[in-house]
Amino acid sequence: MILEAKDISVSLGGASILRGIDLDVGDNQWLVIIGPNGAGKTTLLNCIVKGVTYTGLIKLSGADIKTLKPRELARRVGFLAQMKFMDYSFTVEEIVRLGRYAHEKRGIFEFGAQNTESQATVDDALRLTGLTHLKNSSALTLSGGELQRMFLAQVLAQAPNLLLLDELSNHLDLIYQKRIFSLVREWVRSPGRAVISVSHDLGVAKYYADDAILLNRGELIARGMGDVFDAKTLSLAYGMDVRAWIKKLYETWV
Amino acid sequence: MLKANSKFVTLIALAFMFVFLLCVCTGSVYIHPSKALGALFGFQKPGDSMTNIIKNVRVPRVICAALIGASLSLCGASMQGMLKNPLADGSTMGVSSAASLGAVLAIALGINTNAIVFNATTVLAVVFAFVYMLIIIGITYRLDQFLSTNTIILMGIVFSTFANSMITLIIAFADRQIAAVTFWLMGSMQGRDYGDAMLLACALIGASVYILSHSRELNAFAIGEDNARHIGVDVKRIRLGLMISVSILMGVCVSVGGSIGFVGLMIPHIARILTGSNHHTLLPVSLALGAIFLMIADLLCRVIIIPLEMPIGVITSIAGSIMFVYIFVKFRKA
C-alpha cells in the first residue's frame, strides 16, 4: 500500500469537517475524490501533507506521516494545490526548480549550485507540461492555465511516490486537459506510484480513475467506481439528478 | 533585468568604494582624497588634525552608516520574501518600534550603565526587539499554530501603534531629555565610533550568514507559504530563525543609529528591479545597495546645512518617497 489512512477526523474552530474517513491507495492506482462543495475533499488532501491537524492514522508506505520530517514527507508526497497568485517576479524555471528542494543537500551558500540530475528532472518536467519555451519568462506574465502547468511541473520535479491533485483541470484549455490527464495516467504506471485527485468533472473522473470515493458533509458515503458513480448515490449527495444533468449536457452534441 | 555577472559585481564594488571615499573626504571640512587615503593607511603623522578627523570621526561614522544601511535592507528584503508581502519590513512587523521603545526608555530615564561593553540604549533596544519577537510569536501561535503571514503582520501593526503611543507618552514626561529623544527618533550617525561599528558588524555577519544561507527557503516563501510547506520547507522552524535574526539585527541598528525609515522598504525594491526576485542574488545586492544608499544619505545630512546636521531619517524618507514614486510610476506603466 502506498497510502493507508484510518479513521481520519478533522475539526476546525469547533466545526467538524471530516469524520472517520478510511482510505487505501495501492501501487499504480489513481483514486478520485468527488463530492459537493464543502464535503471536505481538499481538507482530506491537506491531512496527507500535514496541512491541518487531524486525528487518526495516516501511513505512507508503512510509515506514520507524523514521524516524517518536512523534507522526507515532500520526497514522498507532492501536492498540486488550487491556484496560487504570484506577487514576485520569478522565472518559470526558478519555480519549477524549487520542486527539487527536498532532494538537494543544503550548502551554506548556494550561489548557482547546480546538480545535473536535478537539472535533468526539471527539464523533463518542463517538457512534459509544455513549458520549455517559457522557462525564462517571468511567472507574472503567465496565463492561468500556464500557471497551473507550472505548478504541476514543480510537483513532477519533486518526484514523489504519491501525487495529490486538487482540481487538476483548473484553468486548462481542452487540449491541455487531455494532454495533462494522459500525462498523469502515464505517470502513475511506473512502479511505486499512485495518484489521489479531487475533481468536479465527473466525466473526466470516471474516465481516468481506477478507484473513487464520494464525500458528503465530512463523511464518506460511497466507495469504489460502481457505488460512487451509481445514479442514486450521486443524486443523494448532490441533491439533484446528476446523471440526467450530464446526459442533458451531452445530448446537445449528438 | 541584470544578471548577477562579474561586470555587475565589479560595478557595485567600484560604486561602493567611490562613495566610501567621497563620504570620508567630504564634510564640514573638505579633505583631499590623497590625504584621506594617506591617513587611512597610516602615511600621515598621527598627531595631525586631519588624520584625527579621518580616523576617529569620519571613518567610523561612514562604516556605521554602511553597516546600518546594509542591515536594514537585508532585514527588509528577507521580511518581504518571508511574508510574501512587498510592504513588509522590520518596521511593518513592529520590531523597530519595539527596539525604539526600549531605546527611548533608556534615554528618557537617563540609564547610563556602561558596565558592560554595550551602553544601556543598545541593551534595551535589543532586549525589547527580542522580547517583542517572543511575545508576538507566542500570541500568534495561540491564534494560529501555522504562524501565518496575515496574523504576523496584523500583530505587527497593532504593536507598532501601541509602541508609538508609549514613545509619545515617554516624550511627554521626559522634559529634560526631550531633545535627545526627538533627535534620536529621526536617526543620526553623529559621534558613532569603532565600538558601534564592531557591534553592528558582528550582528550583521551573524544574521546574514543565517539569512543568506536560507535564500532558497525565502524563494519558496515568496511564492507562497503553502507551496513552501508542500515542497518540504520546515516552515515553522525557518520562519522562527529568520524572525530571530531580523529582530536582533534591527535592535542593534536602532540602538546605534536611531530609527531610520524607508531603507528596508525601498532598497530591496530597487534591488528586485535590478536582479529579479531570486534571493540568491537579491539579498547580496540589497546589502550592497543599502550600504551605498545610507552612506550617501549620511553625507547629505552633514553637508546640506553646514555646520549643523540634519537627522538622517529626514533624508532617507524624503529621498525614499521621491524614488519610490518614480519607480512605482515607471514600472507600473511598463
Side-chain angles (χ1 to χ4, degrees), chain A residues 53 85 87-88 101 154, chain B residues 80 84 145 213 216-217 227:
Chain A
T53 314
F85 295 95
D87 294 278
Y88 294 119
Y101 177 82
Q154 190 194 54
Chain B
Q80 286 162 21
K84 200 197 174 193
Q145 54 154 334
S213 66
R216 231 165 15 138
E217 285 84 351
N227 194 247

Side-chain angles (χ1 to χ4, degrees), chain A residues 163-225:
Chain A
L163 205 51
L164 307 179
L165 306 168
D166 196 355
E167 288 297 341
L168 176 61
S169 57
N170 265 359
H171 304 277
L172 295 179
D173 63 24
L174 272 184
I175 303 173
Y176 271 106
Q177 281 192 27
K178 190 174 167 218
R179 195 169 150 185
I180 296 295
F181 274 99
S182 309
L183 163 69
V184 174
R185 187 68 259 180
E186 197 55 42
W187 183 90
V188 79
R189 274 203 193 123
S190 298
R193 286 179 176 174
V195 174
I196 301 178
S197 70
V198 162
S199 179
H200 282 297
D201 189 332
L202 301 185
V204 170
K206 196 168 187 306
Y207 184 80
Y208 284 99
D210 305 304
D211 196 4
I213 58 169
L214 176 60
L215 295 186
N216 191 21
R217 296 177 192 202
E219 274 170 14
L220 195 152
I221 56 171
R223 188 190 297 277
M225 297 299 274

Side-chain angles (χ1 to χ4, degrees), chain B residues 289-305:
Chain B
L289 290 184
I292 293 171
F293 174 75
L294 212 64
M295 285 194 289
I296 295 174
D298 180 49
L299 177 66
L300 291 175
C301 290
R302 289 185 277 143
V303 297
I304 286 181
I305 44 169

